[in-house]
Amino acid sequence: MNDLINQLNLNFDENFSILNYIINILICGVLLFFLKIIYVRYGTAISNRSQLSKVLILVGITTFIIISIVKSSLALSLGLVGALSIIRFRTAIKEPEELGYFFIAISIGLGLGANQLLPTVIGFGILILIVVLLNKNKLGNSFSQNLLIRLQCKNDDKSKITDQISTIVSEHSNQVDLKRIKYANEEINFNFSINISSIEKIKAIHDSLSKIDNSIDVTFLSNEI
């Protein structure tokens, strides 16, 4: 019975190092800050990436604190499981990419909270390298934009118009992701996430789309906000 009680008791006086804790949480913050920069720079989500990137830092630091507390206590570990079982997240993850970055933030907090500095730093470096290589076409002076297009057209012309718009956008962009297309009565709505090399490309896309129909509604929204 005494052995079980001893296992459940915290013993910070012997195992807890304030200096080590401060160093690890500072390193955790630095890695999460770099993750924030990478997500804003290379992410493709339509949602506000700048705002979400701040949440990544909070999630990572919170995970670090939780793991630092419960790692030395079986009782706290069991209590954490019970506490998490009553938590419900009502906001759905809209993009699989967002989930991936949340897992990276959590893994950073887990690794450093468990005092596994070297594996965490090496793993983070490899992940960042993979992200950069997968998005190497975004290097240089290119930047991202959300392109919203609304056009009135007859139902018989929708297929032809769709092909024309997709071709024009692709010709003037380094990367094109069709996020959404909506057909409603005699109207088509497009939502593209594009990566372009210069501001002149915006004008080129607008001018080319205007040749299809002068009444076309073209909106560019910053994807870096």
Side-chain angles (χ1 to χ4, degrees):
M1 183 65 179
N2 291 332
D3 293 339
L4 178 59
I5 293 176
N6 290 332
Q7 290 178 3
L8 297 178
N9 286 332
L10 288 173
N11 197 358
F12 284 142
D13 292 335
E14 295 181 3
N15 300 323
F16 182 70
S17 170
I18 295 179
L19 179 60
N20 187 61
Y21 181 85
I22 293 175
I23 291 174
N24 281 338
I25 199 170
L26 288 176
I27 295 175
C28 182
V30 171
L31 294 181
L32 290 169
F33 179 75
F34 279 113
L35 180 64
K36 172 183 180 295
I37 295 175
I38 291 296
Y39 178 62
V40 173
R41 179 68 181 83
Y42 294 104
T44 60
I46 297 177
S47 58
N48 191 325
R49 296 203 304 273
S50 179
Q51 186 65 32
L52 183 62
S53 66
K54 298 175 184 178
V55 178
L56 294 176
I57 296 179
L58 295 178
V59 170
I61 294 294
T62 302
T63 304
F64 172 89
I65 295 173
I66 292 174
I67 297 303
S68 298
I69 294 173
V70 305
K71 69 179 181 181
S72 58
S73 170
L74 176 61
L76 289 178
S77 299
L78 296 175
L80 177 62
V81 174
L84 292 178
S85 67
I86 64 174
I87 295 177
R88 297 291 185 270
F89 294 96
R90 299 300 183 186
T91 302
I93 298 297
K94 297 179 180 179
E95 300 280 351
E97 178 187 60
E98 295 176 3
L99 186 61
Y101 278 96
F102 271 116
F103 270 118
I104 296 176
I106 292 172
S107 67
I108 292 173
L110 283 172
L112 291 171
N115 201 28
Q116 299 296 316
L117 175 60
L118 191 58
T120 303
V121 173
I122 293 176
F124 177 75
I126 293 175
L127 282 172
I128 295 305
L129 180 61
I130 292 174
V131 172
V132 172
L133 291 177
L134 290 176
N135 296 275
K136 59 183 178 180
N137 57 330
K138 290 189 177 183
L139 296 176
N141 297 322
S142 62
F143 56 95
S144 299
Q145 292 279 299
N146 281 320
L147 173 58
L148 309 179
I149 302 172
R150 183 170 61 86
L151 175 65
Q152 297 287 339
C153 69
K154 297 180 180 180
N155 292 330
D156 295 340
D157 297 332
K158 285 183 178 179
S159 179
K160 179 181 178 181
I161 294 296
T162 300
D163 292 339
Q164 290 178 335
I165 290 177
S166 299
T167 300
I168 291 173
V169 174
S170 299
E171 286 178 351
H172 298 285
S173 306
N174 298 331
Q175 179 182 3
V176 178
D177 292 319
L178 179 58
K179 296 296 185 179
R180 184 175 70 93
I181 180 171
K182 179 181 179 181
Y183 296 99
N185 297 326
E186 293 188 352
E187 181 178 280
I188 310 179
N189 291 274
F190 297 89
N191 191 332
F192 292 98
S193 176
I194 63 174
N195 186 264
I196 52 181
S197 59
S198 65
I199 196 69
E200 287 77 13
K201 293 294 184 180
I202 292 180
K203 185 177 184 303
I205 292 174
H206 179 270
D207 292 344
S208 298
L209 291 175
S210 297
K211 294 178 181 179
I212 298 176
D213 191 326
N214 290 331
S215 63
I216 191 171
D217 184 10
V218 181
T219 304
F220 291 91
L221 297 175
S222 176
N223 212 12
E224 308 294 337
I225 297 176

